Amino acid sequence: MRRITIGSFIAAAALLAPLGMNAATAATPATATYSTVSDWGSGFEGKVTVKAGTSALTSWKVEFDLPAGKSIPSAWDADLTKSGDHYTFVNKPWNGALAAGATVSFGFNGAPGGLTGVLNCKLNGAACNGTGPTTPPTVPPTVPPTVPPTVPPTVPPTVPPTVPPTVPPASGKKLVGYFTEWGVYARNYHVKNLVTSGSAAKLTHILYAFGNTAGGRCSIGDSYADYDKAYTADQSVDGVADTWDQPLRGNFNQLRKLKKAYPHIKVIWSFGGWTWSGGFTQAAANPAAFAESCYNLVEDPRWADVFDGIDVDWEYPNACGLTCDASGPNAFKNVISALRSRFGANALVTAATTADGSTGGKIDVADYAGAINNLDWLMPMTYDYFGAFNAQGPTAPHSPLTSYTGIPTAGFNSDAAIQKFKAKGIPASKLLLGIGFYGRGWTGVTQAAPGGTATGAAPGTYEAGNEDYKVLKTKCPATGTVGGTAYGFCNGQWWSYDTPSTIAGKMTYAKNQGLGGAFFWETSGDTANGELITAISNGLK
């Protein structure tokens, strides 16, 4: 790499002088630009993009006023403080340093909607539109004092090479969706629905849920749905009916046909889940034996070409879910290590994990960071934080992106989980943001705003207190937003769920955080035309 010295700068300035240019007039100041990402009337999502000028920035602070009557309760990718109508945003430790010409964005939710711009905007004390210096006047604009003369000014030494770029590339994001084996029954949802909805073209990976872990071994969850159910021509992905004597039918054969039609899709067999995580405790006692059983099942010659790897959905290592595990903080790491060793470097090994961002919570009791080198990615289940499992409330969104005033439990929000994982050393590019294609709701509610009391779970099609988005969008349309997600109040019921609009906001967050993409539970909750998957796909671009 060619070194640039002070002498080089002087020579360059001399060459420019005859053209009426010099270092002072050629310098470009830093700027900060506001834009409204989405507006739903009762609220809005805003974004500010900070762009370094000719000089690199070692830190940034954006401040502005809002018109009377508007407020910003929460922000991400910046620390927020406010005084009256004046708001100040300061960089996080990982996104303060910007190379010359580089950009970074931070976002926030506000209310009510209708904001067209901010007032009195300043970046590092100067006007956000770049009129006036953004560095002290004693500092030459072309020679940032933090950059030694022998270091090219476009590479600030304060940024370690392992820090991910503040503006990740738009391509390469993962869009991962769960397909449930039991969906073929009452829900009448089949692999072909991924084609007719237009979703197959948008998905990058499918998680097939679930295999069992009974006895510390991987085993079939539902043999009939998995590989025995016969499909008629109209139900089949390729329009060809199953025959009585073919060696493989069911979902596995339909997934094989899907992969043939959409070769970009990878399929991962997920084991465990809420109901079948009990076997992981015994698996942790002999990880090698568990891994061997899983490999033999996933790579069974009858369907080895269907699956591209294995997913562990352990709820929860060294903590309690449906059952309690006390295998110790190293158990998860040891199981993942054994799976990687048995499946090899070319298979996908992934994990769905707790998203408990509270201090001393479920993230803190297992060594997720110790396992990350053996995982392709990790999926914090950033949903089900609140629901009618607390029958009397208070009402609260089950999948808040950020905290908000009055949230029932500190740390129960997506951002808290993401930041905790990142603080433990897990790369942002190996974290996926979770989206629920369903809502959770209460009945006997008299208060439209969050925080109300209830008498129990609202009725649902398959489960009390739980309903698909495709039903809720018309049954109980969204009437407000809180913490970056939506809620609806109707006929004494209070439901929280994500909409295409709030998903757009969450995908903006995912991109600003440099996350590897997003995943969701689960495909049958979407509309017949796949509007939620479309929202994720568009939001990740």
Side-chain angles (χ1 to χ4, degrees), residues 499-534:
T499 65
S501 177
T502 63
I503 286 175
K506 288 186 173 185
M507 294 307 101
T508 297
Y509 169 89
K511 290 191 294 185
N512 286 343
Q513 288 287 327
L515 304 187
F519 74 102
F520 63 87
W521 179 275
E522 45 85 15
T523 53
S524 72
D526 205 352
T527 59
N529 63 345
E531 64 182 61
L532 296 187
I533 291 178
T534 299

Side-chain angles (χ1 to χ4, degrees), residues 5-348:
T5 64
I6 292 292
S8 300
F9 281 115
I10 295 173
L15 289 171
L16 291 171
L19 301 176
M21 299 174 64
N22 54 50
T25 58
T28 302
T31 59
T33 307
Y34 169 80
S35 62
T36 299
V37 176
S38 60
D39 192 314
W40 49 92
S42 59
F44 67 93
E45 179 194 337
K47 180 175 77 171
V48 172
T49 300
V50 177
K51 181 176 182 179
T54 304
S55 301
L57 296 179
T58 57
S59 63
W60 48 263
K61 179 176 75 172
V62 176
E63 51 189 320
F64 54 72
D65 298 323
L66 287 184
K70 297 191 184 296
S71 63
I72 297 174
S74 60
W76 52 90
D77 294 328
D79 290 323
L80 165 65
T81 58
K82 58 183 177 179
S83 177
D85 292 327
H86 188 74
Y87 292 79
T88 302
F89 304 83
V90 177
N91 64 267
K92 293 285 191 178
W94 64 83
N95 65 358
L98 288 180
T103 63
V104 67
S105 297
F106 63 88
F108 45 83
N109 288 324
L115 183 69
T116 57
V118 298
L119 308 173
N120 306 316
C121 184
K122 292 184 178 180
L123 168 61
N124 291 349
C128 285
N129 62 6
T131 57
T134 57
T135 54
T138 56
V139 179
T142 56
V143 186
T146 57
V147 182
T150 57
V151 178
T154 56
V155 185
T158 55
V159 182
T162 57
V163 175
T166 54
V167 183
S171 60
K173 298 296 183 185
K174 300 173 184 67
L175 203 172
V176 183
Y178 279 95
F179 181 95
T180 62
E181 62 190 1
W182 60 88
V184 303
Y185 299 120
R187 290 177 173 271
N188 195 31
Y189 192 92
H190 308 279
V191 176
K192 184 177 180 179
N193 290 86
L194 297 174
V195 177
T196 58
S197 65
S199 301
K202 302 177 179 72
L203 288 166
T204 62
H205 300 78
I206 293 172
L207 292 163
Y208 185 78
F210 283 111
N212 205 339
T213 63
R217 299 288 187 272
C218 283
S219 58
I220 288 288
D222 180 340
S223 60
Y224 177 74
D226 289 347
Y227 58 81
D228 195 32
K229 175 179 167 61
Y231 274 86
T232 57
D234 62 307
Q235 295 176 319
S236 183
V237 167
D238 62 358
V240 178
D242 292 339
T243 61
W244 68 270
D245 60 344
Q246 70 185 57
L248 187 68
R249 296 193 294 261
N251 286 327
F252 289 0
N253 188 48
Q254 292 300 306
L255 287 169
R256 174 183 283 164
K257 292 181 175 186
L258 184 75
K259 290 181 68 175
K260 183 177 180 180
Y262 298 88
H264 71 279
I265 293 178
K266 304 295 184 184
V267 179
I268 307 167
W269 197 344
S270 183
F271 288 81
W274 180 256
T275 304
W276 287 340
S277 280
F280 282 119
T281 298
Q282 191 171 342
N286 193 341
F290 173 71
E292 184 67 25
S293 74
C294 298
Y295 182 84
N296 290 337
L297 181 62
V298 175
E299 295 298 322
D300 185 296
R302 290 171 291 176
W303 50 71
D305 61 314
V306 173
F307 296 106
D308 298 283
I310 186 171
D311 174 72
V312 171
D313 188 346
W314 185 351
E315 303 181 25
Y316 299 96
N318 207 33
C320 294
L322 182 62
T323 59
C324 289
D325 173 74
S327 301
N330 293 327
F332 178 79
K333 175 182 68 175
N334 293 341
V335 167
I336 296 300
S337 176
L339 288 170
R340 174 57 73 192
S341 178
R342 185 63 187 92
F343 277 80
N346 294 327
L348 293 170

